[in-house]
Amino acid sequence: MNDILKPRDLAAYRQGNTGIDYVHRFDSGRPGPHVLVNALTHGNEFCGMVAACHLLDTGVRPRIGTLTVSFANVAAYESFDPARPLASRLLVHNMNRIWSAQWLDGTEDSPELRRARELRPVVAAADHVLDLHSTSADVQAFWVYQDHARNAAAACAIGQPQVHLVMPGGLGSGTPLIEHGRFADPGYAGVSLVAECGGHFRRETGALAVEVALDFIGHFGLIERARVPRPAPRRYRLLRTVVIRTPHWRFERPVSGFESFEAGEVIAWDGDEAVRAPDGGCTILMPTKNPYVGNEGVYLAQALGD
């Protein structure tokens, strides 16, 4: 079907110009910020691949500063099987939960850890990071970021997506790329955002990822990019990341994301234990379609009144 987003051969992008496979860097030769656009942190989230390929294929180059474009977990991407479309999210480790010194300096080994260690200097060199993702359910796009004013200001100025998920205390189930190193420092000036661009395999998701990437790069002045007026954002505060503890996870009713639950209402069951909405009720985001022990089952959030 024409509306299905499919993988493409990335062999042509393997040899970049940094000495690290699938990493391409373009220095304008003029002072300015270093912006990183990262794709394929999860191997089955093709929208970032579409955006990264677009930037490279169309010759997007910075007029100031430096632009880096990276494809992260290509090994997982290359394992994609249409019969098991969620399986290529990762090979061993969730590559978006291992960006702490404990993991990166530790002794464990996996394709994701090896790749994250390769990419560590790439992330460290950037002043601002955009990490492009998609969701298993076809829901509206949204930003995810740490609760720093710099992140909120950038997301609001860029304008799309118009929904924001703010993490006051971090993700709660590991360290994502956007919390790596100095990006976790409240005093640091750099912006680090995840854009969840919509359902995994929709062409519209890839098209939005392209627009978000160009808007992000333009926001920092690396390219000319017209600003389009957007409605005020809808913002949610992350309350809790529910990590699955048993092999018997199930939702109380069918959900896809952005459903509301009253205080005390059962959202899901983890074995015999009920997962209930907290006082004040909540909205759920990213309910898993691939439940297994150690994976995030669902995110509980509350709307912010601003």
Side-chain angles (χ1 to χ4, degrees):
M1 297 174 62
N2 292 332
D3 61 344
I4 299 297
L5 191 59
K6 297 178 181 179
R8 59 182 283 190
D9 185 1
L10 297 183
Y13 305 97
R14 178 167 186 166
Q15 187 172 349
N17 58 356
T18 65
I20 302 172
D21 285 353
Y22 298 103
V23 178
H24 302 255
R25 180 168 294 157
F26 306 101
D27 190 334
S28 70
R30 300 178 61 191
H34 184 163
V35 171
L36 169 62
V37 176
N38 183 65
L40 293 178
T41 297
H42 294 134
N44 66 334
E45 299 183 10
F46 299 158
C47 68
M49 173 273 294
V50 173
C53 289
H54 176 86
L55 297 176
L56 298 173
D57 293 347
T58 61
V60 173
R61 299 293 183 268
R63 60 178 186 162
I64 63 169
T66 300
L67 172 65
T68 296
V69 180
S70 58
F71 303 84
N73 199 352
V74 178
Y77 171 81
E78 292 177 338
S79 76
F80 180 74
D81 178 355
R84 302 173 62 242
L86 301 181
S88 61
R89 174 179 168 86
L90 54 87
L91 295 176
V92 177
H93 288 110
N94 183 339
M95 196 173 175
N96 207 29
R97 303 294 184 269
I98 57 174
W99 287 90
S100 65
Q102 179 182 0
W103 277 106
L104 297 179
D105 294 335
T107 59
E108 287 200 47
D109 182 49
S110 71
E112 283 82 10
L113 281 165
R114 289 194 294 274
R115 183 60 173 162
R117 288 162 183 154
E118 285 182 340
L119 292 176
R120 196 176 191 178
V122 176
V123 178
D127 297 312
H128 309 290
V129 171
L130 172 65
D131 193 19
L132 292 164
H133 288 255
S134 56
T135 52
S136 57
D138 183 21
V139 295
Q140 59 196 306
F142 57 97
W143 294 110
V144 183
Y145 54 83
Q146 297 174 90
D147 190 12
H148 302 316
R150 61 185 190 257
N151 291 332
C156 289
I158 293 167
Q160 64 172 342
Q162 293 166 15
V163 176
H164 299 206
L165 176 60
V166 183
M167 303 185 296
L171 186 59
S173 57
T175 304
L177 185 151
I178 62 167
E179 293 182 30
H180 176 62
R182 58 184 177 170
F183 290 106
D185 183 351
Y188 179 57
V191 169
S192 56
L193 305 176
V194 161
E196 298 279 359
C197 297
H200 288 331
F201 308 115
R202 291 180 58 85
R203 286 194 179 275
E204 295 87 346
T205 302
L208 180 60
V210 171
E211 294 302 306
V212 171
L214 291 170
D215 287 346
F216 188 87
I217 297 165
H219 175 73
F220 295 104
L222 274 65
I223 61 173
E224 293 280 359
R225 186 72 171 166
R227 295 192 180 276
V228 178
R230 308 283 184 186
R234 290 192 292 122
R235 302 176 74 233
Y236 295 86
R237 179 179 72 250
L238 179 65
L239 301 175
R240 178 188 172 197
T241 301
V242 181
V243 177
I244 297 173
R245 299 174 180 270
T246 78
H248 305 293
W249 173 275
R250 68 190 188 281
F251 287 98
E252 178 71 0
R253 56 182 168 92
V255 292
S256 59
F258 290 97
E259 291 86 0
S260 295
F261 289 81
E262 299 295 330
E265 187 178 356
V266 174
I267 299 168
W269 293 90
D270 196 355
D272 295 330
E273 181 180 351
V275 177
R276 297 181 182 275
D279 292 345
C282 70
T283 298
I284 67 165
L285 283 82
M286 293 186 284
T288 186
K289 285 191 172 183
N290 187 28
Y292 57 87
V293 174
N295 189 28
E296 294 93 345
V298 67
Y299 297 80
L300 312 186
Q302 283 181 340
L304 293 170
D306 54 356

